[in-house]
Amino acid sequence: MNNILNKLKQRYNSLRSDKILGIILLLHLLLAACHFYQYFLSPIQYHAELRIAGCILIAILIFFFARPGMAFGFIIYACSLIYVNTFYNYGTIFFLLISFGAYPKIKWPATIIYGINVVVSFSLQRLLPISILIHGIYLVLFLLITSLIYKVKPSNLLNLKEDERYILEQLKEGKLQKEIEGYSQQTITAKLKNARERNMCESTGELVEKFRQENNV
């Protein structure tokens, strides 16, 4: 039980260090509550159950897996909504683009998975093949627009706190985690994990290398 509580505490602290991600999580929970409330007030059926489930799923995945979790959550949400949205509703493409920004490594696999779901969904709805073509053209169009025109270039600087910079400085100098003074090894491990997630690094080695390059050493 204590181990589970410690894990939850670590995830909470991780979100506190990445405030924007934490706000995104809270906004999805708020959206889920709003959809739930509107479900009982509006006579129009707009698949509120699916939207509630999607928002909650994204919030849960963000909490446990940070930015990669957000990416996978949006992919699942997009592939689900395509079965209930009209073919000229391009909100699902927007969700797909968000997932690319959160976790770039899944760009092409996610596009293929989404495309398969589009074909299956439109076939089940017995839409004309031109509908698939139209949706596909918009997907390519939005990909090009975000890549060439509106893409925001990520900062070359790492997003680090002072204590994380201190720890990385020590690692850069060749020290082992257990040799760093001022923090327990468990604390250092947790801080490095938070820093990796915030800067989308797969490993501590990658984070240290980026830190080394940033400091021209």
Side-chain angles (χ1 to χ4, degrees):
M1 186 64 180
N2 287 335
N3 188 38
I4 294 175
L5 291 175
N6 287 333
K7 291 287 185 183
L8 293 175
K9 185 178 179 180
Q10 287 179 7
R11 295 309 311 152
Y12 173 74
N13 289 333
S14 176
L15 284 173
R16 286 187 62 189
S17 66
D18 196 346
K19 289 184 173 58
I20 294 179
L21 196 61
I23 293 172
I24 292 172
L25 185 156
L26 292 176
L27 287 175
H28 275 92
L29 293 178
L30 180 60
L31 271 175
C34 290
H35 283 307
F36 184 79
Y37 182 68
Q38 189 180 34
Y39 175 74
F40 293 99
L41 295 180
S42 175
I44 301 174
Q45 296 300 316
Y46 65 112
H47 305 284
E49 302 93 337
L50 178 59
R51 299 176 194 280
I52 293 168
C55 290
I56 292 175
L57 174 65
I58 292 171
I60 291 173
L61 290 177
I62 289 175
F63 183 81
F64 285 103
F65 303 106
R67 292 170 187 263
M70 180 173 69
F72 285 108
F74 270 108
I75 291 170
I76 295 170
Y77 196 25
C79 290
S80 300
L81 284 177
I82 198 66
Y83 287 90
V84 298
N85 283 348
T86 52
F87 81 90
Y88 50 80
N89 184 329
Y90 307 116
T92 50
I93 297 177
F94 177 67
F95 291 153
L96 197 66
L97 298 178
I98 291 174
S99 70
F100 297 163
Y103 197 49
K105 290 185 177 181
I106 62 172
K107 181 174 183 177
W108 295 116
T111 302
I112 293 171
I113 292 171
Y114 177 79
I116 292 172
N117 279 276
V118 167
V119 173
V120 172
S121 170
F122 290 6
S123 298
L124 290 174
Q125 297 177 58
R126 298 186 177 182
L127 298 176
L128 294 174
I130 193 67
S131 303
I132 297 176
L133 179 59
I134 291 172
H135 198 84
I137 291 173
Y138 270 104
L139 172 58
V140 174
L141 177 63
F142 293 162
L143 279 170
L144 291 175
I145 289 173
T146 55
S147 296
L148 301 179
I149 301 177
Y150 294 112
K151 182 177 180 180
V152 178
K153 294 183 179 180
S155 172
N156 293 324
L157 299 177
L158 292 171
N159 181 10
L160 298 170
K161 294 184 174 182
E162 287 301 318
D163 50 1
E164 295 166 349
R165 287 189 175 277
Y166 168 75
I167 292 170
L168 288 173
E169 184 66 37
Q170 300 301 305
L171 293 176
K172 181 172 69 69
E173 296 298 326
K175 287 188 177 181
L176 300 175
Q177 290 188 28
K178 62 182 180 181
E179 297 174 337
I180 299 176
E181 298 179 356
Y183 301 98
S184 67
Q185 191 167 351
Q186 183 178 4
T187 300
I188 291 173
T189 300
K191 288 183 178 295
L192 288 173
K193 184 174 184 295
N194 292 340
R196 288 198 308 270
E197 290 179 351
R198 195 182 317 115
N199 293 282
M200 291 187 286
C201 293
E202 296 292 329
S203 65
T204 298
E206 180 184 355
L207 182 64
V208 173
E209 181 59 29
K210 286 186 177 181
F211 182 77
R212 181 179 288 110
Q213 292 175 2
E214 180 179 302
N215 289 272
N216 298 319
V217 177

